[in-house]
Amino acid sequence: MSNITERLEKVIKLQAKRWENEDHWDDINDLLITELQDILKTDPQNTSAYINLGAVLCDSGEYKGALAALKIAQQLGSEDKNLYTNLAIVMVDMGKDPEEYHEYLEIAEEMQEDPLTFKAYFDPHAY
């Protein structure tokens, strides 16, 4: 498992580089998706990988795929704050009714972030 942890730590670093290297956004996104899918082949119960995959897909505008990945993490019992925050972000981006995502935000308030996961990008001024 420590190998998976190390790989997820590298994913976190690579994700941060996406924002520093916007000229290479698509290339880095592809690397992130490939790495996260590979982690899930090795460890199909890894909720951190599903949460991060959901965030990357959301950032790429692939909301249905993002929602599917996040729902798997939820079904696997993740209690990560970033899961519920990302669920809300995806639903906002999909134009869902606020009642549908406010519940996720309320759940997230009671939770802690897993250091091996990250949030999808959200610009509150865009809505």
Side-chain angles (χ1 to χ4, degrees):
M1 270 314 205
S2 66
N3 182 30
I4 297 289
T5 300
E6 290 170 12
R7 291 173 72 185
L8 286 167
E9 289 169 348
K10 288 179 184 176
V11 163
I12 297 287
K13 291 176 185 173
L14 186 58
Q15 186 272 346
K17 287 185 181 196
R18 256 188 338 173
W19 297 102
E20 298 168 8
N21 299 294
E22 291 189 29
D23 292 342
H24 301 286
W25 177 273
D26 291 336
D27 294 333
I28 294 172
N29 253 21
D30 291 346
L31 286 172
L32 286 166
I33 291 168
T34 299
E35 179 64 8
L36 289 164
Q37 289 174 335
D38 193 51
I39 289 170
L40 288 167
K41 285 178 188 170
T42 304
D43 183 6
Q45 304 287 309
N46 192 297
T47 58
S48 296
Y50 281 114
I51 293 165
N52 292 340
L53 181 60
V56 172
L57 292 172
C58 180
D59 291 347
S60 301
E62 297 178 35
Y63 305 125
K64 287 183 181 179
L67 190 58
L70 295 168
K71 288 289 189 175
I72 292 170
Q74 185 182 30
Q75 290 168 355
L76 290 171
S78 174
E79 295 184 4
D80 181 0
K81 180 176 189 154
N82 287 332
L83 166 62
Y84 290 93
T85 301
N86 287 343
L87 280 166
I89 291 170
V90 169
M91 295 183 89
V92 168
D93 288 342
M94 292 177 83
K96 299 288 184 180
D97 187 285
E99 288 182 20
E100 292 186 63
Y101 57 80
H102 279 176
E103 178 182 345
Y104 292 129
L105 293 173
E106 289 174 13
I107 293 169
E109 286 179 14
E110 305 297 321
M111 297 184 157
Q112 304 249 334
E113 288 183 21
D114 183 324
L116 296 176
T117 65
F118 51 86
K119 289 183 198 83
Y121 176 74
F122 181 70
D123 179 4
H125 300 292
Y127 296 92

